[in-house]
Amino acid sequence: MTQSNREDVANMQTEELGNSLKQISAFLSAYVHCEDDNLLTAAQRRASLLHKHLLTGSFPGVEDLVFEIINTFESLKKQHSHKEMQLNALCQSIIILPRYINYLKKYVKRVSSEPQLLIPYINNLRACQNKPLLAETHYADFT
């Protein structure tokens, strides 16, 4: 993929990501106020659509982070014991995604060259689900 093609994909994905994250944030905010699991389901569905859109290979860390967001929504619906930790991890991840992609577009020549920056956020979500954490070297092939 040429630099120009990467930039086109990044611009398209940034717009889609922003719209999706606004919708996911709205569902999550409404859930915090009324704890209706239907809102989690709606947020999870929107995140699943976003994940399908991101499966181009351009943003491997982003794809993984969105996948863990989807899983954390599912976990939150099933067990409410770590609710505050899960909500916190979800909010952090939703905030970091557009910033990360903007960082890549502005400062990094190769669009997929910094996925390791997302490992702490991915691991936060994985910890909420009692899943094994990713190693710091998980994305070593992308640097």
Side-chain angles (χ1 to χ4, degrees), residues 116-135:
Q116 71 275 11
L117 294 174
L118 295 176
I119 288 176
Y121 301 96
I122 294 168
N123 281 341
N124 263 352
L125 293 167
R126 292 176 68 85
C128 292
Q129 303 165 65
N130 296 317
K131 290 168 104 175
L133 303 182
L134 298 181

